[in-house]
Amino acid sequence: MNDHPLPTLRNQLLSLHKLLMNSERAAYEAEGNEIRSPMEFLKLLMEHERFAWLRQLSQLVVMMDEAMEEKPPVTKERMDALVAESKHLLMGSEEPGSFAARYAQARERDAAVAAAHEGISKDWVGSSC
């Protein structure tokens, strides 16, 4: 697993997830909505439709964590499948409301998200997103 990109990708996706949460929170608050506490924000992340698209990335990171902890060790094929699933999530369907469409909007709105995306794209097995 040391030479496979999955562990690095997992860490990059986790960092991206945090950036996306912060970016989406800022956009939500800029629309006049107030988030009074971390617990209120957590509840919004878990339950509010506005933040539902972020849950897909959360679930993917959890799947990666579980795969890397498997006994016997995760197969290369499974790791490759998770990398492919990541690419599809980030750059797949551009249908309105899809993760990829919402992610593209976040990249346009937030320079930190765009920079993180560039880092992820550059590091993925010699291929660009």
Side-chain angles (χ1 to χ4, degrees):
M1 183 160 58
N2 290 340
D3 60 342
H4 198 279
L6 185 64
T8 299
L9 175 59
R10 179 257 181 221
N11 292 337
Q12 290 174 316
L13 291 176
L14 189 60
S15 295
L16 176 64
H17 186 263
K18 182 175 182 179
L19 288 170
L20 288 170
M21 286 189 308
N22 290 337
S23 179
E24 197 64 21
R25 178 182 183 156
Y28 182 75
E29 290 179 325
E31 294 169 0
N33 303 297
E34 183 180 354
I35 300 175
R36 294 182 223 55
S37 71
M39 287 304 294
E40 182 179 351
F41 185 46
L42 180 60
K43 183 176 171 114
L44 287 169
L45 287 169
M46 293 173 51
E47 298 174 3
H48 196 283
E49 186 61 32
R50 165 74 179 254
F51 299 94
W53 69 283
L54 294 171
R55 292 181 214 129
Q56 294 174 65
L57 184 55
S58 305
Q59 292 167 349
L60 180 58
V61 170
V62 168
M63 288 171 45
M64 290 176 170
D65 288 343
E66 290 172 348
M68 289 187 294
E69 292 176 8
E70 285 179 4
K71 301 287 186 231
V74 64
T75 64
K76 181 185 180 313
E77 291 76 19
R78 177 71 176 128
M79 289 191 291
D80 290 346
L82 287 166
V83 170
E85 191 168 336
S86 300
K87 290 180 184 181
H88 178 71
L89 180 66
L90 297 180
M91 303 307 296
S93 170
E94 289 289 330
E95 290 180 30
S98 71
F99 183 93
R102 299 289 301 267
Y103 178 54
Q105 292 170 348
R107 288 193 320 265
E108 290 174 15
R109 172 180 75 229
D110 191 320
V113 172
H117 174 76
E118 287 303 314
I120 291 170
S121 298
K122 175 186 63 140
D123 291 344
W124 276 2
V125 199
S127 67
S128 176
C129 289

